[in-house]
Amino acid sequence: MSMPFYVAPEQVMKDRADYARKGIARGRSLVGLRFADGILVCAENPSNTLRKISEIYDRIAFAGVGRYNEFDQLRIAGVRHADLKGYSFSREDVDARGLANSYAGILGQIFTHEMKPLEVEILVAEVGVEPAGDQLFHLLYDGTVLDEHDFSVLGGDAEAISERMSAAFADGLDLGRALATAVAALSGPDRTLSAAELEVALLERGSGRRFRRLDDATVAQLLGPDAAGEDDGGEPVAAVSGGDVAAGRGVAGATARTQPGDEPAPAPDGGAGDEPSDEPSDGAGDDAVPDDDAD
Amino acid sequence: MARRPGGRQRWGAPVASAAVTLPMFDPGDDPGPDFAELLRRQGLAPQAPPGSLGDALRIPHGTTVVAVRYADGVLMAGDRRATSGNFISHRSIEKVFPAGRHSGVAIAGAAGPAVEMVKLFQLQLEHYEKVEGAHLSLEGKANQLSQMVRANLPAAMQGLAVVPIFAGYDLRRRVGRLFQYDVTGGRYEEQDYAVSGSGSMHAGTVVKLGFREALRREQVVDLTLEALWQAAEEDSATGGPDLLRGIWPVVVTITEAGYERVVDAELAERFEVLLERMRATRSAVGLGGAPAGADHPAGPGGDAP
């Protein structure tokens, strides 16, 4: 019987955006970039089973940050979209642009019409037959599509990582250098990430199904001896319960072990709310922007 | 299944009605990794014909396929002919296909539905792998195919039967395994060899007589080529090697290393050897004349044509 309070639409949208950004900022980031033989996607993810990066179709990969169950639903929908399209038409007709537009549609729909926006950012990458055909579509929680050229950074700490990426990125890097660039940008100057804390996958130029994961051993080898040494330092932290947010906490712990020095504690990330599953807003009334993952 | 085209849609409600949208479902209504079910939901599943096709429409049929277990895994092979009634409709169709990295499927029966079934089966395996992030076990694949054959039963009743063979290398047990089917989707695991199609009786007999435990790769290829040759001799719907056009059977091996097709050059060579051996046998038993080295001059060749 009670009349709902009037809330200005601007305020509603702002609140939703803040809410989504806050959820996304809690997780760990990922980087997708072009390299000499295709596209490399590298994510900070200590779990070996809950994937952030996956295959959609022959030349298309998907990567998501934020709330695991939400981007995983989007991933499965994307696989269905691609497989149905390939079945109805032909395998060549499945492209990243169409998929990105469909994602944009549903993200926008949910952002405006639902109580709760999706706390995710996703990357849809397609490797072209020629390097000029490589595509990186970066989608935000509200359905905004960014068509990015050389690299794409998703997640809480995106601004700082983007700066490091644009300083280090060059055209035609080989696989090892591209991976080193991505890892350096993800970790920043104060940390090192070991192979066990990374999830790496490639889309290599060629025909057929081009998606390939790199296992920890390969990643360690590509990163060189300095990174490989730490492999056994921290046992892999497989945080299963709350998905990505929980996984983020695992990384924080591992980081503390691998680096002796200066940074007081990865506490802001680790301490933020133990139960990520349903009320992510319990982070003690802090404001929107990614301050809880600050470097 | 409440579909809401247009208008306000809830998160999770199915939003797709055409193939090119983004299909999402309520958690309780989700088809999971089942691609065939997804197709049904989207209205894209293949339909059985409404009535019997009879003789008026002559549908191409594929014929003889064989699978044999050997030392390293399994070998699958099929001839290249499709027939419509008494006509040869295709000389070079393929009846053996990969199904994932460590298994293959070979088809006999109505060519159109059979090829469609293989396409769906391959997609189903790929779809499962991508959605679940894991490969199906060999047993799981065999059961999937069984369900697809069963789903085809209404079409089979109208004259579009498809009877596949499924074989693969079981990575858990480290052996080659073979599965034979009937039109109702019945699935029977065979130990040594499996055959299907109109020439299967003759091909099967040759394989049966020549089968031994742990055959080597060359031996099993030779045995299979002879089986297909004998089937082609006795069954008009089975094609032999086409020397004029250079069309050879499809022969693949599936081992721990995966699915691999035997190249045509090797098949041509082995056929040459096979034919040479048969010529020698014929001239020995056939037209009298007792050529050098003939061991049994008093063979059944007395009444040669």
Side-chain angles (χ1 to χ4, degrees), chain A residues 98-134:
Chain A
L99 180 61
N101 282 336
S102 296
Y103 277 138
I106 195 132
L107 285 164
Q109 176 86 11
I110 290 165
F111 184 75
T112 31
H113 292 285
E114 299 293 313
M115 275 295 290
K116 182 188 114 41
L118 297 182
E119 298 159 73
V120 296
E121 269 182 52
I122 56 179
L123 174 69
V124 180
E126 174 174 340
V127 62
V129 181
E130 298 295 321
D134 292 349

mmCIF file of all heavy atoms in Angstrom, chain A residues 98-134:
data_model
loop_
_atom_site.group_PDB
_atom_site.id
_atom_site.type_symbol
_atom_site.label_atom_id
_atom_site.label_comp_id
_atom_site.label_asym_id
_atom_site.label_seq_id
_atom_site.Cartn_x
_atom_site.Cartn_y
_atom_site.Cartn_z
ATOM 1 N N GLY A 98 29.188 -9.937 -34.392
ATOM 2 C CA GLY A 98 27.796 -10.297 -34.137
ATOM 3 C C GLY A 98 27.588 -10.724 -32.693
ATOM 4 O O GLY A 98 26.604 -10.343 -32.042
ATOM 5 N N LEU A 99 28.540 -11.480 -32.197
ATOM 6 C CA LEU A 99 28.441 -11.952 -30.822
ATOM 7 C C LEU A 99 28.535 -10.774 -29.846
ATOM 8 O O LEU A 99 27.761 -10.683 -28.885
ATOM 9 C CB LEU A 99 29.553 -12.962 -30.554
ATOM 10 C CG LEU A 99 29.596 -13.560 -29.159
ATOM 11 C CD1 LEU A 99 28.311 -14.311 -28.858
ATOM 12 C CD2 LEU A 99 30.792 -14.499 -29.025
ATOM 13 N N ALA A 100 29.471 -9.878 -30.109
ATOM 14 C CA ALA A 100 29.638 -8.717 -29.222
ATOM 15 C C ALA A 100 28.361 -7.880 -29.209
ATOM 16 O O ALA A 100 27.936 -7.397 -28.150
ATOM 17 C CB ALA A 100 30.828 -7.876 -29.682
ATOM 18 N N ASN A 101 27.744 -7.735 -30.355
ATOM 19 C CA ASN A 101 26.488 -6.971 -30.402
ATOM 20 C C ASN A 101 25.396 -7.651 -29.603
ATOM 21 O O ASN A 101 24.623 -6.987 -28.907
ATOM 22 C CB ASN A 101 26.037 -6.778 -31.854
ATOM 23 C CG ASN A 101 26.828 -5.684 -32.536
ATOM 24 O OD1 ASN A 101 27.365 -4.795 -31.869
ATOM 25 N ND2 ASN A 101 26.939 -5.758 -33.843
ATOM 26 N N SER A 102 25.335 -8.968 -29.692
ATOM 27 C CA SER A 102 24.333 -9.674 -28.900
ATOM 28 C C SER A 102 24.590 -9.496 -27.410
ATOM 29 O O SER A 102 23.665 -9.307 -26.626
ATOM 30 C CB SER A 102 24.349 -11.165 -29.232
ATOM 31 O OG SER A 102 23.988 -11.361 -30.567
ATOM 32 N N TYR A 103 25.864 -9.593 -27.030
ATOM 33 C CA TYR A 103 26.207 -9.364 -25.634
ATOM 34 C C TYR A 103 25.820 -7.957 -25.200
ATOM 35 O O TYR A 103 25.284 -7.742 -24.112
ATOM 36 C CB TYR A 103 27.713 -9.549 -25.414
ATOM 37 C CG TYR A 103 28.149 -10.979 -25.221
ATOM 38 C CD1 TYR A 103 29.292 -11.468 -25.830
ATOM 39 C CD2 TYR A 103 27.425 -11.837 -24.402
ATOM 40 C CE1 TYR A 103 29.712 -12.769 -25.644
ATOM 41 C CE2 TYR A 103 27.835 -13.146 -24.219
ATOM 42 C CZ TYR A 103 28.978 -13.605 -24.838
ATOM 43 O OH TYR A 103 29.383 -14.897 -24.646
ATOM 44 N N ALA A 104 26.122 -6.990 -26.062
ATOM 45 C CA ALA A 104 25.809 -5.603 -25.731
ATOM 46 C C ALA A 104 24.315 -5.460 -25.493
ATOM 47 O O ALA A 104 23.871 -4.787 -24.551
ATOM 48 C CB ALA A 104 26.270 -4.685 -26.854
ATOM 49 N N GLY A 105 23.537 -6.116 -26.362
ATOM 50 C CA GLY A 105 22.087 -6.051 -26.213
ATOM 51 C C GLY A 105 21.644 -6.552 -24.857
ATOM 52 O O GLY A 105 20.886 -5.888 -24.143
ATOM 53 N N ILE A 106 22.136 -7.697 -24.478
ATOM 54 C CA ILE A 106 21.636 -8.284 -23.224
ATOM 55 C C ILE A 106 22.172 -7.543 -22.009
ATOM 56 O O ILE A 106 21.461 -7.348 -21.020
ATOM 57 C CB ILE A 106 21.924 -9.797 -23.165
ATOM 58 C CG1 ILE A 106 21.090 -10.428 -22.049
ATOM 59 C CG2 ILE A 106 23.360 -10.118 -22.883
ATOM 60 C CD1 ILE A 106 20.387 -11.647 -22.483
ATOM 61 N N LEU A 107 23.411 -7.094 -22.080
ATOM 62 C CA LEU A 107 23.960 -6.329 -20.949
ATOM 63 C C LEU A 107 23.193 -5.021 -20.760
ATOM 64 O O LEU A 107 22.853 -4.635 -19.638
ATOM 65 C CB LEU A 107 25.451 -6.046 -21.169
ATOM 66 C CG LEU A 107 26.393 -7.232 -20.952
ATOM 67 C CD1 LEU A 107 27.749 -6.952 -21.574
ATOM 68 C CD2 LEU A 107 26.554 -7.539 -19.478
ATOM 69 N N GLY A 108 22.911 -4.348 -21.875
ATOM 70 C CA GLY A 108 22.166 -3.092 -21.799
ATOM 71 C C GLY A 108 20.758 -3.302 -21.275
ATOM 72 O O GLY A 108 20.256 -2.554 -20.434
ATOM 73 N N GLN A 109 20.143 -4.370 -21.759
ATOM 74 C CA GLN A 109 18.796 -4.718 -21.332
ATOM 75 C C GLN A 109 18.732 -4.923 -19.818
ATOM 76 O O GLN A 109 17.875 -4.391 -19.129
ATOM 77 C CB GLN A 109 18.414 -6.022 -22.052
ATOM 78 C CG GLN A 109 17.092 -6.606 -21.666
ATOM 79 C CD GLN A 109 15.988 -5.984 -22.490
ATOM 80 O OE1 GLN A 109 16.258 -5.280 -23.456
ATOM 81 N NE2 GLN A 109 14.763 -6.211 -22.098
ATOM 82 N N ILE A 110 19.681 -5.699 -19.342
ATOM 83 C CA ILE A 110 19.683 -5.996 -17.911
ATOM 84 C C ILE A 110 20.034 -4.751 -17.108
ATOM 85 O O ILE A 110 19.450 -4.492 -16.054
ATOM 86 C CB ILE A 110 20.657 -7.149 -17.621
ATOM 87 C CG1 ILE A 110 20.082 -8.439 -18.204
ATOM 88 C CG2 ILE A 110 20.903 -7.314 -16.132
ATOM 89 C CD1 ILE A 110 21.062 -9.555 -18.310
ATOM 90 N N PHE A 111 20.947 -3.958 -17.619
ATOM 91 C CA PHE A 111 21.352 -2.756 -16.881
ATOM 92 C C PHE A 111 20.172 -1.798 -16.687
ATOM 93 O O PHE A 111 19.984 -1.235 -15.623
ATOM 94 C CB PHE A 111 22.480 -2.036 -17.630
ATOM 95 C CG PHE A 111 23.009 -0.837 -16.892
ATOM 96 C CD1 PHE A 111 23.839 -0.993 -15.799
ATOM 97 C CD2 PHE A 111 22.653 0.442 -17.290
ATOM 98 C CE1 PHE A 111 24.317 0.110 -15.113
ATOM 99 C CE2 PHE A 111 23.120 1.546 -16.600
ATOM 100 C CZ PHE A 111 23.954 1.378 -15.509
ATOM 101 N N THR A 112 19.372 -1.631 -17.726
ATOM 102 C CA THR A 112 18.272 -0.667 -17.591
ATOM 103 C C THR A 112 17.026 -1.254 -16.947
ATOM 104 O O THR A 112 16.303 -0.551 -16.270
ATOM 105 C CB THR A 112 17.858 -0.083 -18.960
ATOM 106 O OG1 THR A 112 18.082 -1.065 -19.939
ATOM 107 C CG2 THR A 112 18.629 1.156 -19.281
ATOM 108 N N HIS A 113 16.778 -2.537 -17.139
ATOM 109 C CA HIS A 113 15.478 -3.060 -16.727
ATOM 110 C C HIS A 113 15.486 -3.888 -15.456
ATOM 111 O O HIS A 113 14.438 -4.180 -14.911
ATOM 112 C CB HIS A 113 14.864 -3.897 -17.850
ATOM 113 C CG HIS A 113 14.482 -3.071 -19.034
ATOM 114 N ND1 HIS A 113 13.386 -2.254 -19.040
ATOM 115 C CD2 HIS A 113 15.074 -2.918 -20.235
ATOM 116 C CE1 HIS A 113 13.314 -1.641 -20.215
ATOM 117 N NE2 HIS A 113 14.321 -2.026 -20.942
ATOM 118 N N GLU A 114 16.628 -4.325 -15.030
ATOM 119 C CA GLU A 114 16.649 -5.204 -13.869
ATOM 120 C C GLU A 114 17.010 -4.446 -12.605
ATOM 121 O O GLU A 114 17.601 -3.367 -12.658
ATOM 122 C CB GLU A 114 17.661 -6.330 -14.087
ATOM 123 C CG GLU A 114 17.346 -7.207 -15.275
ATOM 124 C CD GLU A 114 16.094 -8.016 -15.074
ATOM 125 O OE1 GLU A 114 15.941 -8.611 -14.007
ATOM 126 O OE2 GLU A 114 15.252 -8.041 -15.999
ATOM 127 N N MET A 115 16.655 -5.043 -11.484
ATOM 128 C CA MET A 115 17.058 -4.481 -10.202
ATOM 129 C C MET A 115 18.572 -4.364 -10.107
ATOM 130 O O MET A 115 19.111 -3.359 -9.691
ATOM 131 C CB MET A 115 16.595 -5.418 -9.068
ATOM 132 C CG MET A 115 15.194 -5.207 -8.625
ATOM 133 S SD MET A 115 14.992 -3.597 -7.884
ATOM 134 C CE MET A 115 15.914 -3.824 -6.362
ATOM 135 N N LYS A 116 19.217 -5.463 -10.501
ATOM 136 C CA LYS A 116 20.655 -5.544 -10.288
ATOM 137 C C LYS A 116 21.381 -5.658 -11.627
ATOM 138 O O LYS A 116 21.090 -6.557 -12.410
ATOM 139 C CB LYS A 116 20.961 -6.791 -9.462
ATOM 140 C CG LYS A 116 22.402 -6.986 -9.133
ATOM 141 C CD LYS A 116 22.636 -8.314 -8.488
ATOM 142 C CE LYS A 116 23.471 -9.236 -9.342
ATOM 143 N NZ LYS A 116 24.589 -8.647 -10.032
ATOM 144 N N PRO A 117 22.305 -4.773 -11.913
ATOM 145 C CA PRO A 117 23.076 -4.928 -13.150
ATOM 146 C C PRO A 117 24.055 -6.090 -13.005
ATOM 147 O O PRO A 117 24.328 -6.543 -11.899
ATOM 148 C CB PRO A 117 23.826 -3.604 -13.263
ATOM 149 C CG PRO A 117 23.983 -3.149 -11.858
ATOM 150 C CD PRO A 117 22.759 -3.612 -11.121
ATOM 151 N N LEU A 118 24.571 -6.571 -14.142
ATOM 152 C CA LEU A 118 25.585 -7.620 -14.082
ATOM 153 C C LEU A 118 26.915 -6.985 -13.678
ATOM 154 O O LEU A 118 27.309 -5.961 -14.237
ATOM 155 C CB LEU A 118 25.722 -8.300 -15.442
ATOM 156 C CG LEU A 118 24.486 -9.037 -15.932
ATOM 157 C CD1 LEU A 118 24.780 -9.704 -17.271
ATOM 158 C CD2 LEU A 118 24.039 -10.069 -14.929
ATOM 159 N N GLU A 119 27.573 -7.603 -12.727
ATOM 160 C CA GLU A 119 28.867 -7.059 -12.288
ATOM 161 C C GLU A 119 29.985 -7.721 -13.089
ATOM 162 O O GLU A 119 30.800 -8.470 -12.542
ATOM 163 C CB GLU A 119 29.048 -7.328 -10.797
ATOM 164 C CG GLU A 119 27.994 -6.654 -9.943
ATOM 165 C CD GLU A 119 27.883 -7.320 -8.586
ATOM 166 O OE1 GLU A 119 28.791 -7.122 -7.778
ATOM 167 O OE2 GLU A 119 26.907 -8.042 -8.346
ATOM 168 N N VAL A 120 29.977 -7.478 -14.372
ATOM 169 C CA VAL A 120 30.980 -8.119 -15.223
ATOM 170 C C VAL A 120 31.477 -7.152 -16.283
ATOM 171 O O VAL A 120 30.805 -6.197 -16.654
ATOM 172 C CB VAL A 120 30.401 -9.348 -15.975
ATOM 173 C CG1 VAL A 120 29.990 -10.423 -15.014
ATOM 174 C CG2 VAL A 120 29.246 -8.970 -16.871
ATOM 175 N N GLU A 121 32.689 -7.445 -16.745
ATOM 176 C CA GLU A 121 33.182 -6.871 -17.994
ATOM 177 C C GLU A 121 33.656 -8.051 -18.803
ATOM 178 O O GLU A 121 34.241 -8.990 -18.251
ATOM 179 C CB GLU A 121 34.377 -5.952 -17.730
ATOM 180 C CG GLU A 121 34.010 -4.515 -17.482
ATOM 181 C CD GLU A 121 35.242 -3.666 -17.274
ATOM 182 O OE1 GLU A 121 36.158 -3.715 -18.116
ATOM 183 O OE2 GLU A 121 35.295 -2.968 -16.257
ATOM 184 N N ILE A 122 33.386 -8.006 -20.111
ATOM 185 C CA ILE A 122 33.836 -9.150 -20.897
ATOM 186 C C ILE A 122 34.613 -8.703 -22.121
ATOM 187 O O ILE A 122 34.497 -7.570 -22.595
ATOM 188 C CB ILE A 122 32.668 -10.077 -21.323
ATOM 189 C CG1 ILE A 122 31.612 -9.309 -22.094
ATOM 190 C CG2 ILE A 122 32.061 -10.764 -20.136
ATOM 191 C CD1 ILE A 122 30.469 -10.187 -22.539
ATOM 192 N N LEU A 123 35.410 -9.634 -22.599
ATOM 193 C CA LEU A 123 36.221 -9.406 -23.794
ATOM 194 C C LEU A 123 35.853 -10.484 -24.805
ATOM 195 O O LEU A 123 35.830 -11.667 -24.473
ATOM 196 C CB LEU A 123 37.709 -9.523 -23.444
ATOM 197 C CG LEU A 123 38.691 -9.464 -24.603
ATOM 198 C CD1 LEU A 123 38.721 -8.072 -25.207
ATOM 199 C CD2 LEU A 123 40.090 -9.853 -24.146
ATOM 200 N N VAL A 124 35.537 -10.061 -26.023
ATOM 201 C CA VAL A 124 35.306 -11.006 -27.108
ATOM 202 C C VAL A 124 36.405 -10.773 -28.128
ATOM 203 O O VAL A 124 36.492 -9.683 -28.696
ATOM 204 C CB VAL A 124 33.924 -10.804 -27.756
ATOM 205 C CG1 VAL A 124 33.711 -11.805 -28.879
ATOM 206 C CG2 VAL A 124 32.827 -10.937 -26.728
ATOM 207 N N ALA A 125 37.256 -11.756 -28.318
ATOM 208 C CA ALA A 125 38.411 -11.582 -29.193
ATOM 209 C C ALA A 125 38.297 -12.511 -30.385
ATOM 210 O O ALA A 125 37.856 -13.647 -30.251
ATOM 211 C CB ALA A 125 39.695 -11.882 -28.427
ATOM 212 N N GLU A 126 38.676 -12.014 -31.538
ATOM 213 C CA GLU A 126 38.687 -12.860 -32.733
ATOM 214 C C GLU A 126 40.019 -12.693 -33.438
ATOM 215 O O GLU A 126 40.477 -11.569 -33.654
ATOM 216 C CB GLU A 126 37.543 -12.459 -33.686
ATOM 217 C CG GLU A 126 37.599 -13.221 -34.999
ATOM 218 C CD GLU A 126 36.411 -12.963 -35.912
ATOM 219 O OE1 GLU A 126 35.367 -12.502 -35.428
ATOM 220 O OE2 GLU A 126 36.544 -13.223 -37.113
ATOM 221 N N VAL A 127 40.625 -13.816 -33.781
ATOM 222 C CA VAL A 127 41.869 -13.739 -34.538
ATOM 223 C C VAL A 127 41.517 -13.809 -36.016
ATOM 224 O O VAL A 127 40.719 -14.643 -36.442
ATOM 225 C CB VAL A 127 42.849 -14.861 -34.113
ATOM 226 C CG1 VAL A 127 42.280 -16.239 -34.377
ATOM 227 C CG2 VAL A 127 44.179 -14.708 -34.816
ATOM 228 N N GLY A 128 42.086 -12.887 -36.794
ATOM 229 C CA GLY A 128 41.769 -12.823 -38.214
ATOM 230 C C GLY A 128 42.660 -13.750 -39.013
ATOM 231 O O GLY A 128 43.635 -14.297 -38.500
ATOM 232 N N VAL A 129 42.320 -13.898 -40.290
ATOM 233 C CA VAL A 129 43.187 -14.665 -41.176
ATOM 234 C C VAL A 129 44.490 -13.892 -41.375
ATOM 235 O O VAL A 129 45.584 -14.454 -41.393
ATOM 236 C CB VAL A 129 42.476 -14.895 -42.524
ATOM 237 C CG1 VAL A 129 43.358 -15.712 -43.455
ATOM 238 C CG2 VAL A 129 41.150 -15.604 -42.301
ATOM 239 N N GLU A 130 44.339 -12.574 -41.497
ATOM 240 C CA GLU A 130 45.497 -11.672 -41.561
ATOM 241 C C GLU A 130 45.529 -10.888 -40.256
ATOM 242 O O GLU A 130 44.488 -10.681 -39.630
ATOM 243 C CB GLU A 130 45.330 -10.703 -42.736
ATOM 244 C CG GLU A 130 45.263 -11.364 -44.089
ATOM 245 C CD GLU A 130 46.567 -12.053 -44.438
ATOM 246 O OE1 GLU A 130 47.629 -11.476 -44.115
ATOM 247 O OE2 GLU A 130 46.514 -13.165 -44.986
ATOM 248 N N PRO A 131 46.717 -10.371 -39.882
ATOM 249 C CA PRO A 131 46.781 -9.584 -38.643
ATOM 250 C C PRO A 131 45.782 -8.429 -38.622
ATOM 251 O O PRO A 131 45.259 -8.078 -37.559
ATOM 252 C CB PRO A 131 48.219 -9.064 -38.640
ATOM 253 C CG PRO A 131 48.979 -10.062 -39.439
ATOM 254 C CD PRO A 131 48.039 -10.595 -40.471
ATOM 255 N N ALA A 132 45.486 -7.860 -39.795
ATOM 256 C CA ALA A 132 44.564 -6.725 -39.830
ATOM 257 C C ALA A 132 43.155 -7.131 -39.401
ATOM 258 O O ALA A 132 42.348 -6.288 -39.017
ATOM 259 C CB ALA A 132 44.531 -6.131 -41.236
ATOM 260 N N GLY A 133 42.871 -8.417 -39.454
ATOM 261 C CA GLY A 133 41.527 -8.870 -39.103
ATOM 262 C C GLY A 133 41.335 -9.163 -37.619
ATOM 263 O O GLY A 133 40.251 -9.540 -37.203
ATOM 264 N N ASP A 134 42.368 -9.007 -36.824
ATOM 265 C CA ASP A 134 42.238 -9.265 -35.387
ATOM 266 C C ASP A 134 41.285 -8.258 -34.763
ATOM 267 O O ASP A 134 41.332 -7.068 -35.072
ATOM 268 C CB ASP A 134 43.602 -9.142 -34.702
ATOM 269 C CG ASP A 134 44.553 -10.245 -35.128
ATOM 270 O OD1 ASP A 134 44.082 -11.193 -35.765
ATOM 271 O OD2 ASP A 134 45.747 -10.134 -34.829
#
